[in-house]
Amino acid sequence: MSSGNDRQAQTFTKPALSEKEATELVDRVFGLKVSWIRLLPSYDDQNFHVRVSRSKGAAEGADEYVLKITNSEDSQEPDLIEAQTQAMMFLSAEGFPSATPHLTKDGNIMSLESGDTGPGNKKYMVRLLTYLPGTPVAKIATNTQIFYEIGKLAASLDKALSEKFHHPSVKSLHRGQFIWNLANVPLLDQYIYALGQNKYREVVEQVIEQFKGKVIPKLSSFRACINHGDLNDHNILVDSTSASGNPQYRVSGILDFSDMSYGYYVFEVAIAIMYMMIESPDPLSAGGHVLAGFESVLPLTEEERGALFLLVSGRFSQSLVIAAHTALLYPENEEYLMITAKTGWKHLMTMFEVGQEAVEKTWFETAEAY
C-alpha cells in the first residue's frame, strides 16, 4: 500500500500514462498486442488491466495481465522490486495463488522505461503480471470461515518464504526505516501532526508510547521471518464454491508484494486481524478466527500473544496516520486513501474503550474453540 520511507518527496512521481501509451508500452517491451485496457485504482503506482490478442501459432500464455508501472521513487530500487517479483514466482511454484511476470522481449522480468518527455524525465519500472481472478474480500459479505482461511494463508505464506526462499535479492528486504514495517510504529511521531488536535490523536499517541515501552523491548524474543506485510481486504481475492445462503470461500489471489520486508511472524497475523476487523460485522471476534487459522499452521508463543493487542492497534495507527498525512499531499486522491479510515477509527477507539484484557479474552477464547 505504500512505498518509500518519506512521502514528502513523492509529490509528482505517480506514473500517469494514457491508455494509448500503456498499449504501446506492452507492444514495445513485451511484444504483445492489447485488445482491451482499463485503468485500475492504485495508491502510488499505476496499474492497467489488459487483455491481449494472440496471433495463430503464437506461444501459449495467459490472455489477461496487469501492467504494473511502479512510481519513480521505488523504481530506483530494482533489487527490491526483483525480490518481490522473485518471491511471487517462488510462491506460485509452491502452489500459492500469486501472479507471475510475463518476460520482456529481452527475457527479463522487468524493464526500466521513460515515462514522459517532460522536464526531469522520470523513469518507471514496468512489469506485466498475470491477472488473478476473484473478488476482493472488501467486496464480499465475510464470514468466519474466510477469516480462518486468511489466518492460515498468512502463516503458510510467511513460513514458505522464510524457510525456502533463498534468492540473492532477498537481502534487499532488510528495510530498516520502512514506515509500514510494524516495528516502526514509533516513527509515526513525525506524521501525527496530520491528525490535527482531537481524541483520535490522543489514542494514537497512547498507542505509540505503549508500543515503545512494551513491544520494542520484546522484539528480540519474537520469531523472525519474511512478511508479505499488507494482507489487507483489497489485496486478497476470493472465489466462492457454493451459491447457497452460506458460501464457502477460498483464496484465489494474493496481490501487492510491495510492502514485503523482514519482520516477525506475529506481525503478519496482527496485520491480517486489523484488516479483517474492518470487514467484519462483529469486529472484535473476527481476530479470534484469523488467529485460529494462523495457529493451525504456526502457534504463537506467550510473548507473541502478549503483544498482539498493541500490534493490531499499531497497525490501525499506521494506516490512519499515514493516510491522513498522504491525503494532505494528494488531496485529489483522498477518497481512495481514506477507505480504511472510515471504519478504522471506530475500531481503534472501541479496542481502547473495551480494553486490552477483554479484547484478548475474546480473541483467545474464540481461537481455543477451534
Side-chain angles (χ1 to χ4, degrees):
M1 191 155 177
S2 147
S3 61
N5 310 328
D6 179 14
R7 291 198 151 277
Q8 297 291 6
Q10 263 195 283
T11 316
F12 298 108
T13 63
K14 183 170 176 171
L17 272 69
S18 66
E19 291 185 355
K20 182 171 178 286
E21 289 169 321
T23 298
E24 287 165 358
L25 187 72
V26 172
D27 187 12
R28 180 166 51 80
V29 178
F30 300 97
L32 294 173
K33 299 279 181 246
V34 171
S35 59
W36 178 91
I37 185 166
R38 182 171 66 92
L39 184 65
L40 297 167
S42 173
Y43 202 81
D44 48 15
D45 301 326
Q46 197 179 22
N47 298 323
F48 290 94
H49 179 187
V50 300
R51 289 198 190 110
V52 298
S53 48
R54 296 188 173 274
S55 50
K56 285 204 172 79
E60 278 301 297
D63 294 325
E64 290 188 67
Y65 294 95
V66 172
L67 174 66
K68 191 162 187 66
I69 305 160
T70 300
N71 68 74
S72 61
E73 254 68 16
D74 288 355
S75 293
Q76 292 167 28
E77 299 189 71
D79 287 357
L80 190 56
I81 299 175
E82 174 158 25
Q84 293 158 4
T85 314
Q86 292 287 350
M88 290 156 67
M89 292 159 72
F90 160 79
L91 288 168
S92 176
E94 289 283 315
F96 289 88
S98 71
T100 53
H102 185 286
L103 299 183
T104 66
K105 290 201 270 197
D106 302 335
N108 299 313
I109 59 176
M110 56 191 182
S111 177
L112 193 62
E113 297 294 322
S114 292
D116 49 64
T117 49
N121 186 8
K122 302 273 193 217
K123 292 211 181 305
Y124 302 111
M125 198 63 85
V126 173
R127 287 171 292 168
L128 193 62
L129 304 171
T130 48
Y131 180 81
L132 297 170
T135 307
V137 169
K139 296 219 163 81
I140 63 164
T142 54
N143 57 25
T144 56
Q145 177 257 333
I146 191 57
F147 294 148
Y148 182 89
E149 289 301 319
I150 287 166
K152 196 170 162 185
L153 170 79
S156 311
L157 189 85
D158 285 11
K159 199 165 186 286
L161 285 171
S162 303
E163 291 175 0
K164 300 186 198 166
F165 179 57
H166 305 302
H167 192 268
S169 62
V170 78
K171 61 184 181 295
S172 65
L173 297 176
H174 289 285
R175 303 169 72 178
Q177 298 292 294
F178 180 51
I179 193 68
W180 287 100
N181 187 305
L182 251 181
N184 290 330
V185 164
L187 297 182
L188 294 176
D189 276 342
Q190 60 191 306
Y191 301 112
I192 205 165
Y193 72 89
L195 298 179
Q197 292 293 346
N198 54 38
K199 60 181 180 181
Y200 295 148
R201 178 172 175 154
E202 286 166 27
V203 171
V204 170
E205 284 172 343
Q206 213 177 320
V207 172
I208 294 171
E209 282 318 299
Q210 290 189 26
F211 202 96
K212 286 176 186 170
K214 296 178 181 171
V215 176
I216 299 297
K218 289 259 170 67
L219 288 177
S220 59
S221 70
F222 300 161
R223 289 165 299 169
C225 70
I226 296 172
N227 289 140
H228 173 281
D230 200 13
L231 289 175
N232 71 41
D233 38 331
H234 293 267
N235 286 342
I236 300 171
L237 304 176
V238 296
D239 56 26
S240 78
T241 49
S242 61
S244 63
N246 189 21
Q248 291 290 300
Y249 291 106
R250 67 175 191 99
V251 176
S252 61
I254 308 159
L255 307 178
D256 195 358
F257 285 74
S258 61
D259 285 3
M260 270 182 84
S261 66
Y262 275 99
Y264 302 91
Y265 283 112
V266 68
F267 284 8
E268 200 76 90
V269 69
I271 291 166
I273 285 173
M274 177 250 155
Y275 288 111
M276 294 313 116
M277 283 177 70
I278 285 172
E279 289 305 323
S280 174
D282 182 6
L284 286 184
S285 74
H289 300 287
V290 176
L291 180 62
F294 192 91
E295 292 201 306
S296 73
V297 176
L298 206 109
L300 295 183
T301 64
E302 279 309 303
E303 284 96 343
E304 289 165 346
R305 277 188 155 214
L308 206 50
F309 178 86
L310 279 173
L311 288 170
V312 173
S313 307
R315 183 52 169 209
F316 269 119
S317 302
Q318 284 180 317
S319 179
L320 296 164
V321 171
I322 296 167
H325 169 67
T326 311
L328 291 179
L329 297 183
Y330 304 102
E332 73 286 353
N333 211 3
E334 185 168 4
E335 192 183 347
Y336 181 74
L337 292 166
M338 292 301 185
I339 292 172
T340 304
K342 285 181 187 146
T343 49
W345 283 120
K346 192 175 73 188
H347 295 331
L348 181 59
M349 303 304 273
T350 303
M351 281 176 71
F352 269 73
E353 281 156 20
V354 172
Q356 178 165 352
E357 202 178 320
V359 171
E360 286 180 343
K361 188 170 187 287
T362 304
W363 287 347
F364 299 154
E365 285 178 1
T366 305
E368 305 299 59
Y370 281 82

